[in-house]
Amino acid sequence: MIRLTDLTKRYGKFTAVDSINLEIRRGELFGFLGPNGAGKTTTMRMIAGILQPTSGRIEIAGDDMAREPVRAKSRLGFIPDRPYVYDKLTGAEFLRFVAALFGQEGAAVEHRMDELLDLFELSTWKDELVESYSHGMRQKLIISSALLHRPEVIVVDEPMVGLDPKGQKFLKELFRAFVERGGTVLMSTHTLDMVEEMCDRIGIINGGRILTAGTMAEVRAQTAHGDTGLEDLFLKLTGGITDREMDEILK
Amino acid sequence: MRRAIRLALVLAAKDLRVEFRTRTSLLSAAVFAALVLIVFNFARDPTAVATIDLAPSVLWVTVAFASVVAMNRAFTTERENAAFDGLLLAPVSREVLYLGKYLANLVFVLLVEAITLPLFVLFFNVGLGHALPGLLLTMLLATAGFVAVGTVFSAMVVKTRFAELMLPVLLLPFMVPPLIYAVRVSTPLFQGRPLSEVVAGLRFLALYDVAFITLSVLLFSAVVDE
């Protein structure tokens, strides 16, 4: 479970995230949408404990990120859009390093690591330096590292970047299976089809504020946009470009 | 406490492994130290100032600048692929993160000094003899202090555009006190005086270490969170 209470982040006079209140329950896959610069990544980086909020509260499975950061972080797996890896470590060394940071060592880690590397078809590459990995392989490695300590909550930023169609399908199935087992997934993406297909609830953020949140039906009802698809709904809420404006530009 | 030390060692081991695989910073710091010593060696006039009087200053100037070159690497490896964010999201306190980085830097700078010292003896023909234990203790104490400050500053400047330029600008003023005392302690040691004569200087270096390591641990969190 993720609970955000009056979460705010300011950089000087600029407010990147403005008093967000949001609860993502156990067994829920939540799609976090918004245009570029809306505050999605800032919010996710605060949830992951990378950034400190200016004010407000973040709870991960009941643990307060400010008061109990170590406990809260140990319940969380974060998958960034750009893999945080070290080129001069091998895949196996990187995973062992991450496991050690989560306080896990020994045979159990080796077993879990082999299991994940098999799952992501990286076994034959595990002793190669990460610098020789493709972007997709790096993404798979970072996903493996996020799952290594068996988190209860996964926060994921643009998960499909760099993955081939097979990898994308696998990841979708993985997230669904994770939430069906009682996990929580907060996923930020611009791929609206995937959100419609996968997410139990969505939230749309713009200008640092949550414009709407709920199931697709609830969001449609809240915004009085009838039976429109997510793309139209998103563009109407966030001020997307109209066909007439496009014609003007292309003239 | 044991967990914190174990985590700090894990972090330091990762840094050192990455560094030994690239070797770029270690090599550049060692080459830099050798060049400085060569320049000093050919620039000095042995008839004007006795080698024994000049040697401590030359040693510490070389160590100081080579250390800055070495410390520049502390967070640049983390900058690639934004890897430092990966460390921030781990269930590890900022204090432990600092300690890990500090230990890696300390080992790294001491390694640079271990390369510099024989070169210094070679170029300046200074017999270390019984001064060696005292000199090694001085090097350890002086290095422990300025590396503590350097680790915080390298975390501070890594996100700036001119990180390599900013680090010496910020760090060198803080290196002055330990360097002055390191020279003051080294000079009598080179002249064959006993260690008991330099206890006051060593005490200052130890005090500097305690003060700046404590301050750096406290400041690191604010530095990485903003």
Side-chain angles (χ1 to χ4, degrees):
Chain A
M1 181 270 286
I2 303 172
R3 185 181 289 135
L4 311 178
T5 312
D6 291 327
L7 188 67
T8 301
K9 180 69 183 177
R10 289 194 195 91
Y11 296 100
K13 287 179 182 170
F14 174 69
T15 305
V17 174
D18 194 0
S19 293
I20 284 183
N21 289 289
L22 193 64
E23 185 174 330
I24 304 158
R25 296 180 281 265
R26 273 172 61 88
E28 187 170 70
L29 204 160
F30 189 90
F32 198 39
L33 310 175
N36 295 327
K40 293 190 303 294
T41 301
T42 305
T43 305
M44 297 180 87
R45 285 165 65 85
M46 284 193 284
I47 294 170
I50 297 170
L51 277 178
Q52 299 294 317
T54 308
S55 62
R57 194 171 174 200
I58 300 164
E59 284 171 80
I60 307 291
D63 286 320
D64 191 312
M65 185 59 86
R67 288 184 193 158
E68 294 280 351
V70 172
R71 276 171 64 102
K73 285 177 183 179
S74 61
R75 296 178 185 277
L76 185 121
F78 182 63
I79 304 170
D81 57 341
R82 204 163 45 132
Y84 305 150
V85 287
Y86 297 95
D87 287 348
K88 292 290 177 188
L89 293 184
T90 67
E93 284 170 348
F94 176 72
L95 291 181
R96 273 187 212 111
F97 170 64
V98 174
L101 292 182
F102 279 85
Q104 299 178 350
E105 280 166 322
V109 167
E110 294 298 317
H111 177 72
R112 175 77 172 152
M113 201 172 79
D114 288 341
E115 199 176 75
L116 287 164
L117 289 171
D118 268 347
L119 201 66
F120 286 97
E121 298 174 333
L122 288 175
S123 293
T124 52
W125 288 82
K126 76 173 194 179
D127 295 320
E128 300 294 328
L129 292 180
V130 172
E131 66 185 1
S132 63
Y133 286 27
S134 69
H135 182 82
M137 288 161 71
R138 285 166 184 241
Q139 192 66 11
K140 286 176 181 176
L141 184 68
I142 207 79
I143 296 168
S144 304
S145 75
L147 297 173
L148 202 58
H149 60 287
R150 300 180 195 276
E152 294 167 51
V153 173
I154 294 176
V155 176
V156 52
D157 196 1
E158 284 296 345
M160 305 305 176
V161 175
L163 291 181
D164 56 26
K166 190 181 165 191
Q168 291 187 13
K169 186 173 182 298
F170 172 70
L171 202 58
K172 285 178 191 173
E173 288 169 0
L174 184 85
F175 288 157
R176 277 298 351 155
F178 182 77
V179 294
E180 276 159 22
R181 283 172 171 78
T184 306
V185 176
L186 169 62
M187 177 173 71
S188 159
T189 181
H190 292 297
T191 316
L192 300 181
D193 295 344
M194 190 176 74
V195 173
E196 267 191 297
E197 178 195 334
M198 288 177 67
C199 295
D200 302 307
R201 288 199 306 145
I202 61 165
I204 300 177
I205 183 173
N206 198 14
R209 285 175 170 270
I210 298 276
L211 301 179
T212 181
T215 61
M216 272 300 290
E218 285 168 353
V219 169
R220 281 195 194 103
Q222 278 171 31
T223 51
H225 280 305
D227 207 17
T228 50
L230 183 56
E231 187 177 71
D232 291 333
L233 201 69
F234 178 83
L235 292 174
K236 277 171 186 162
L237 283 170
T238 59
I241 195 164
T242 63
D243 288 347
R244 203 160 57 84
E245 284 166 334
M246 183 66 81
D247 287 342
E248 285 294 316
I249 293 164
L250 295 174
K251 257 181 195 171
Chain B
M1 188 65 183
R2 277 175 64 187
R3 183 180 180 270
I5 292 169
R6 203 182 66 238
L7 286 172
L9 290 174
V10 165
L11 286 159
K14 183 272 295 171
D15 269 18
L16 293 170
R17 178 172 283 167
V18 169
E19 180 51 40
F20 290 133
R21 289 222 170 114
T22 56
R23 283 188 293 268
T24 45
S25 300
L26 188 65
L27 268 176
S28 45
V31 168
F32 179 84
L35 280 174
V36 172
L37 288 171
I38 289 169
V39 169
F40 273 121
N41 186 45
F42 287 103
R44 76 194 164 109
D45 177 2
T47 57
V49 185
T51 303
I52 207 76
D53 295 328
L54 191 67
S57 314
V58 172
L59 174 66
W60 285 104
V61 165
T62 309
V63 162
F65 286 108
S67 301
V68 173
V69 173
M71 274 189 283
N72 253 325
R73 53 143 291 285
F75 286 88
T76 46
T77 48
E78 306 293 353
R79 189 171 50 182
E80 290 163 16
N81 305 321
F84 195 59
D85 285 350
L87 296 184
L88 293 180
L89 64 89
V92 174
S93 70
R94 306 297 200 240
E95 289 78 15
V96 171
L97 271 185
Y98 171 80
L99 205 60
K101 282 282 166 195
Y102 171 68
L103 286 176
N105 271 350
L106 187 62
V107 171
F108 193 59
V109 173
L110 287 173
L111 258 174
V112 172
E113 291 175 2
I115 297 169
T116 307
L117 195 59
L119 291 174
F120 166 76
V121 172
L122 185 76
F123 285 121
F124 282 80
N125 198 23
V126 179
L128 289 179
H130 67 271
L132 190 62
L135 187 65
L136 291 179
L137 180 64
T138 311
M139 283 184 127
L140 184 65
L141 287 174
T143 308
F146 66 70
V147 167
V149 185
T151 304
V152 172
F153 281 142
S154 55
M156 194 187 283
V157 301
V158 72
K159 286 177 185 167
T160 63
R161 215 170 139 199
F162 302 106
E164 283 82 3
L165 186 73
M166 287 298 287
L167 181 64
V169 170
L170 290 170
L171 179 58
L172 286 173
F174 286 88
M175 284 177 94
V176 170
L179 286 177
I180 288 172
Y181 275 84
V183 172
R184 279 190 181 177
V185 170
S186 307
T187 306
L189 290 175
F190 279 128
Q191 289 165 348
R193 304 260 181 78
L195 198 62
S196 56
E197 279 191 27
V198 294
V199 169
L202 291 173
R203 214 172 269 160
F204 172 85
L205 289 174
L207 203 69
Y208 181 96
D209 292 352
V210 173
F212 279 89
I213 291 171
T214 310
L215 212 62
S216 301
V217 169
L218 296 174
L219 278 175
F220 187 72
S221 180
V223 167
V224 295
D225 287 334
E226 281 311 316

